[in-house]
Amino acid sequence: MPRAEHSVSRESMSENALKVLYRLHNNGYQAYLVGGCVRDALLGKDPKDFDVTTDATPEQIKGLFRNCRLIGRRFRLAHIVFGREIIEVATFRGHHENSDKTESKDSKHSDHGQLMRDNVFGSIEEDAQRRDFTINAMYYNIADYSISDFAGGMQAIKNKEIALIGDPETRYREDPVRMLRAVRFAAKLDMHISATSAEPIKRLAPLMANIPPARLFEEILKLLLSGQGLATYKLLTEFHLFEQLFPQLAPLLLQAGSRENQFVEQVLTNTDNRINTGQRVTPAFIFAAFMWYPLEERCQQLMVEGGLNHFDGFNLALNDVMHRQIQRIMIPKRFSSTIREIWQLQNRLPRRYGRRAYQMLEHPKFRAAYDFLLLRGQIEGGQLLELAQWWTDFQEVDDSQRKTMLEELRKQEGGPARRPRRNRKKPKPKA
């Protein structure tokens, strides 16, 4: 499609991406924008991730850019670093040869068909066939500003359809994360997964166990922190993918309308609202919510079977639940520590006598713990909701009213009377 026949403009593109494209082009290499940025521009959305593809090898790319670093073992990529922005540049991928020599040197499959190494380079036509979805196989040529559509991506956009290029089962086996990507694009772009691309997902969902936990953490962020987290969650559940990601929570969600279902959906609804109104969110809050009821269940189990008190049972359960989850999704320590604090503060929030309430307000994770309590109260009601409302009021009133609230609480719950301070006698000066 020549420039006059499409709506993609350089004005919507990153200046740094254009620098990369022009330098490759001016040095005699083919240079294209490909994938999500082209797709989103055609859909009238603001492109965010600018991926470049070229016939230059990774070593040739590195020779052109001092700010380049080569990454990846499964497939070598060049990252061109411009401060906080990174432009990813990939060499055209080619087809895999069936010879033993090529299999051992450039490409390698696991016993399940998963692609473990993929450094086979080729032409732009071969590269397009190696792309995952038809809507991601459109290339913007910096030489003449045309778009090459190799797999019917424009028609897929018109049909609002997510379809894999090639045989779906083979492509999912090559990289099971493509199942998550299919769900993410369907929710993000308000499209549907084609029947042929959807059919194998439920059968192949257990292949997610072969994906490294560290990689799954990055995928979870894309899935649930995109502004369409609730829609994504429902599709993950429909295709039996959610249970592969959160195996401890999934059994508690089988009963429609349960408190666990309501809690998860409310958390995702609130997260979507915050993202779509430009407010900050933290992955720690979602992970804390998704593991909260498994934590409660494990705590009760330890108390009954081991005769433990709640404090000991809770702390043992906390470690058990966290350990099991990070075997599936690796949660970085900066988030796992916040998750632990949110959970532990749920046990401290009911204890408000003396200076505890004031000390709680000053805790760096108070706001997250309070928001968590408020959500629990909205779902479970009863004393939990009353406690959440008390903390809501306590934050809003002045200091004299706070003292009154604490006195009333002490009377209502029969707490210990406030002991007057004893004046300590000043020591007599030595003669």
Side-chain angles (χ1 to χ4, degrees):
M1 290 181 292
R3 174 66 187 90
E5 296 181 16
H6 65 77
S7 58
V8 178
S9 168
R10 281 172 293 167
E11 292 181 359
S12 65
M13 298 175 192
S14 158
E15 290 184 9
N16 293 323
L18 292 174
K19 288 178 185 177
V20 172
L21 289 165
Y22 279 123
R23 185 173 298 184
L24 287 166
H25 173 66
N26 292 337
N27 281 273
Y29 298 108
Q30 298 178 53
Y32 297 83
L33 280 176
V34 65
C37 57
V38 179
R39 176 198 70 220
D40 290 347
L42 288 169
L43 285 167
K45 300 177 181 288
D46 290 331
K48 292 182 180 179
D49 297 321
F50 295 90
D51 294 333
V52 173
T53 188
T54 177
D55 58 348
T57 66
E59 289 72 22
Q60 289 170 330
I61 298 166
K62 187 171 178 62
L64 291 177
F65 298 91
R66 289 184 301 173
N67 54 332
C68 172
R69 63 178 183 227
L70 300 183
I71 67 160
R73 296 171 64 183
R74 179 170 163 263
F75 184 74
R76 295 284 278 169
L77 296 169
H79 277 183
I80 316 297
V81 182
F82 297 91
R84 292 187 176 183
E85 185 177 18
I86 296 176
I87 305 299
E88 187 172 278
V89 185
T91 305
F92 295 145
R93 288 174 294 180
H95 293 306
H96 300 277
E97 301 294 337
N98 292 324
S99 68
D100 293 337
K101 179 181 178 181
T102 303
E103 178 73 0
S104 62
K105 180 181 178 182
D106 297 316
S107 67
K108 182 180 179 182
H109 289 76
S110 72
D111 294 338
H112 301 286
Q114 186 175 343
L115 204 54
M116 307 300 290
R117 189 167 62 246
D118 189 17
N119 288 303
V120 181
F121 303 136
S123 65
I124 186 174
E125 290 81 9
E126 290 174 316
D127 187 79
Q129 293 174 359
R130 297 289 314 281
R131 296 275 155 184
D132 49 9
F133 300 100
T134 59
I135 57 172
N136 289 339
M138 293 180 286
Y139 295 70
Y140 178 88
N141 191 349
I142 198 63
D144 58 8
Y145 316 126
S146 64
I147 290 180
S148 297
D149 179 7
F150 289 94
M154 287 295 293
Q155 190 60 46
I157 287 176
K158 291 178 182 178
N159 296 341
K160 303 189 72 173
E161 184 175 75
I162 305 296
L164 275 164
I165 298 171
D167 175 62
E169 180 158 344
T170 301
R171 303 308 305 278
Y172 289 142
R173 286 187 179 277
E174 285 179 349
D175 185 0
V177 167
R178 286 178 179 143
M179 293 184 280
L180 299 182
R181 285 169 60 82
V183 165
R184 176 160 63 90
F185 290 141
K188 176 183 176 181
L189 304 175
D190 191 23
M191 295 183 175
H192 66 277
I193 304 173
S194 72
T196 53
S197 296
E199 187 277 327
I201 296 180
K202 291 180 182 179
R203 288 189 288 106
L204 301 180
L207 292 178
M208 296 304 304
N210 300 328
I211 302 300
R215 186 181 177 198
L216 280 182
F217 177 76
E218 296 300 325
E219 291 299 326
I220 286 294
L221 298 190
K222 296 175 186 176
L223 286 164
L224 301 180
L225 299 181
S226 63
Q228 295 84 28
L230 181 60
T232 303
Y233 159 71
K234 290 181 177 180
L235 284 175
L236 289 172
T237 303
E238 177 185 341
F239 287 107
H240 298 178
L241 291 167
F242 188 82
E243 63 198 64
Q244 302 299 325
L245 303 172
F246 295 94
Q248 297 175 95
L249 174 61
L252 305 180
L253 302 176
L254 297 177
Q255 183 180 349
S258 65
R259 65 173 187 173
E260 291 84 358
N261 267 303
Q262 293 179 52
F263 189 57
V264 167
E265 292 189 9
Q266 191 59 56
V267 166
L268 292 172
T269 298
N270 291 359
T271 301
D272 288 347
N273 290 338
R274 290 182 66 86
I275 291 171
N276 294 325
T277 54
Q279 300 179 68
R280 293 180 60 186
V281 297
T282 172
F285 195 90
I286 289 183
F287 277 98
F290 281 14
M291 291 185 280
W292 173 252
Y293 286 114
L295 169 60
E296 280 200 334
E297 184 177 69
R298 179 61 177 151
C299 177
Q300 290 298 319
Q301 183 184 11
L302 289 170
M303 289 171 64
V304 171
E305 296 178 358
L308 302 176
N309 59 41
H310 182 269
F311 179 83
D312 291 336
F314 185 87
N315 286 308
L316 281 175
L318 186 153
N319 291 325
D320 282 356
V321 169
M322 183 69 77
H323 176 70
R324 292 177 188 177
Q325 185 59 55
I326 63 176
Q327 290 179 316
R328 188 79 296 270
I329 301 172
M330 179 56 69
I331 305 171
K333 189 174 181 179
R334 66 184 184 276
F335 296 124
S336 63
S337 59
T338 300
I339 293 168
R340 290 172 181 270
E341 286 187 281
I342 290 173
W343 287 343
Q344 289 166 340
L345 289 176
Q346 300 308 297
N347 291 330
R348 290 178 54 187
L349 283 165
R351 302 198 290 267
R352 296 157 282 172
Y353 297 131
R355 297 292 305 170
R356 289 175 178 173
Y358 295 101
Q359 292 168 351
M360 182 63 69
L361 286 180
E362 296 171 0
H363 194 286
K365 295 296 184 288
F366 166 76
R367 186 67 202 188
Y370 161 74
D371 289 342
F372 197 85
L373 173 70
L374 192 59
L375 274 172
R376 291 174 57 211
Q378 291 170 349
I379 299 302
E380 297 184 34
Q383 292 183 345
L384 206 58
L385 183 58
E386 292 178 6
L387 176 62
Q389 186 59 53
W390 188 94
W391 278 108
T392 301
D393 296 339
F394 193 73
Q395 293 175 78
E396 295 175 352
V397 299
D398 59 29
D399 193 55
S400 63
Q401 291 174 298
R402 286 177 179 176
K403 291 178 181 178
T404 301
M405 287 180 65
L406 289 171
E407 288 292 342
E408 290 176 352
L409 178 67
R410 191 174 289 107
K411 293 176 182 177
Q412 291 171 6
E413 300 189 1
R418 186 176 180 180
R419 292 182 297 179
R421 285 187 177 182
R422 291 190 298 176
N423 293 326
R424 301 176 70 180
K425 294 182 179 180
K426 294 182 180 180
K428 293 182 180 180
K430 293 182 179 180

